[in-house]
Amino acid sequence: MRPDPDGTKRYAFLLIPGYSQLGFACALEALSLANIHPSGQRFYSWRLIGETGAPVPAYNGVTAAVDSALTALDRDETLVVCAGNDAGTGSTRAVLNWLRRETRKGMDFGALSSGTYTLALAGLLSGKRVTTHWAYRDALTELLPDVIIESSLFSVDGRIFTTAGGAASMDMMLDRIRHDFGTDLATWVADQMVYTDPRVATHGQRLSRRVRPGMSHGKLGIALQIMENNLEDPLRPDEIAQAIELSTRQLERLFAKHLGVSPKRHYLQLRLEKARGLLRQTNLSVTDICVACGFRSLSHFSKSYRGCFGLSPGQEKRGTGEIWPVRA
């Protein structure tokens, strides 16, 4: 992205209905604060875009006025797609066609949170390494096998950047400020945000996984990672134990001590949580989700799901709004 003659770099934020207000605010505030640097230089400018030009509601119901409907961008602008809940519904044919047309100009472009899915629907991420909010990762992995989904806070692949959204939008934007104008400005902006320890891209998304009691035990952490990496083709407890050089009984004692459940029960819970996300976030059939989560029969899947969540997979799917369908 080339700056304007006066050195200002320009951004265009496309707001998809249901976008994350936190992720958007964190990204925009970083640019805003850069502009009040004591040097007096205006480093960034931006405009907000919505499909129709009408105010766009965030997932929490708060609406943001935009500067225009879908309009031509300059190749020197950086485009950021902001989305959240119900990204698929807001990824209309008009929006996707506009994204294809504008990104052909060669600009940098990226996404916050599930805006990654919108870019993928437009066919702009094939073979690229990207990230999204952890809650949407399984859905994207199942629906978009040609896109490499990472678990990082943010990813950069050539001129394409993506982030998990939320506070991670701050980390990504501070990284962009550092590349644009240097470490001193990025550090000054972080100080203004009282953000004393900006995170690198590879930092994990989920704090809860790292502060859980017992996670300091190395073998337990490895066992949990093995489980999360093998949800579609579950391993037996003895296979996991062998991989971390423990006996099956030692593995069971480790889980009982730190997590209060057996390895088998914890593994089942992970698979059911993945299934719940896919049921709520995709148009995949119950049968496809059953297979994707490592269940050998629909009856076992349904019984396990009902025992965990109190309703059948079919009831879950019918009773929850699907966030990924594309409408014309």
Side-chain angles (χ1 to χ4, degrees), residues 67-82:
D67 298 301
S68 72
L70 301 178
T71 186
L73 301 179
D74 189 277
R75 71 179 305 272
D76 294 331
E77 288 182 277
T78 293
L79 171 62
V80 185
V81 179
C82 307

Side-chain angles (χ1 to χ4, degrees), residues 15-304:
L15 303 185
I16 302 293
Y19 69 93
S20 164
Q21 191 176 42
L22 174 61
F24 168 62
C26 286
L28 184 60
E29 191 68 2
L31 302 183
S32 303
L33 287 169
N35 284 348
I36 63 170
H37 188 267
S39 67
Q41 179 177 344
R42 182 174 176 81
F43 293 97
Y44 295 99
S45 65
W46 54 85
R47 54 174 162 166
L48 309 185
I49 297 172
E51 180 180 0
T52 66
V56 182
Y59 84 95
N60 58 8
V62 175
T63 59
V66 298
D67 298 301
S68 72
L70 301 178
T71 186
L73 301 179
D74 189 277
R75 71 179 305 272
D76 294 331
E77 288 182 277
T78 293
L79 171 62
V80 185
V81 179
C82 307
N85 290 344
D86 208 21
T89 301
S91 301
T92 65
R93 186 162 298 158
V95 165
L96 300 181
N97 287 338
W98 180 81
L99 287 170
R100 295 183 191 107
R101 181 175 66 250
E102 296 305 314
T103 55
R104 288 194 198 105
K105 296 175 180 177
M107 64 185 63
D108 285 359
F109 63 93
L112 310 182
S113 190
S114 63
T116 302
Y117 182 72
T118 299
L119 291 178
L121 285 177
L124 303 175
L125 300 182
S126 181
K128 297 295 184 180
R129 305 189 73 87
V130 301
T131 194
T132 189
H133 190 283
W134 61 263
Y136 308 131
R137 186 177 186 276
D138 286 336
L140 264 66
T141 300
E142 293 296 329
L143 293 171
L144 306 167
D146 61 335
V147 177
I148 305 166
I149 311 292
E150 299 183 326
S151 298
S152 54
L153 290 181
F154 61 92
S155 296
V156 180
D157 191 338
R159 64 191 179 106
I160 300 171
F161 56 92
T162 51
T163 177
S169 297
M170 263 194 304
D171 299 286
M172 182 191 72
M173 204 57 72
L174 287 169
D175 186 68
R176 293 190 65 81
I177 292 172
R178 180 174 62 84
H179 282 286
D180 288 344
F181 295 105
T183 300
D184 287 347
L185 178 61
T187 300
W188 188 88
V189 170
D191 285 344
Q192 301 310 302
M193 301 174 95
V194 197
Y195 195 44
T196 56
D197 192 17
R199 300 165 295 177
V200 297
T202 54
H203 197 284
Q205 288 188 22
R206 302 181 72 177
L207 178 62
S208 60
R209 294 292 176 89
R210 292 183 286 112
V211 301
R212 184 182 294 160
M215 284 304 294
S216 60
H217 193 294
K219 288 187 180 294
L220 176 61
I222 296 171
L224 291 172
Q225 192 62 58
I226 289 172
M227 289 179 176
E228 292 190 8
N229 290 344
N230 293 275
L231 297 179
E232 185 170 350
D233 296 302
L235 303 176
R236 299 189 309 272
D238 64 293
E239 292 176 311
I240 298 172
Q242 184 178 8
I244 61 175
E245 299 180 340
L246 291 178
S247 69
T248 303
R249 188 175 295 276
Q250 287 174 319
L251 180 70
E252 290 173 347
R253 286 201 294 262
L254 191 62
F255 271 73
K257 177 180 179 181
H258 295 294
L259 300 180
V261 296
S262 69
K264 184 176 180 180
R265 180 64 193 174
H266 183 79
Y267 208 169
L268 175 63
Q269 184 67 32
L270 290 178
R271 291 157 58 206
L272 290 171
E273 288 176 358
K274 176 181 178 180
R276 194 179 203 187
L278 295 178
L279 287 165
R280 290 180 167 188
Q281 299 168 3
T282 76
N283 282 328
L284 291 173
S285 69
V286 172
T287 300
D288 287 340
I289 292 171
C290 171
V291 174
C293 298
F295 292 91
R296 295 185 177 181
S297 73
L298 279 171
S299 61
H300 180 214
F301 175 44
S302 183
K303 181 179 179 180
S304 299

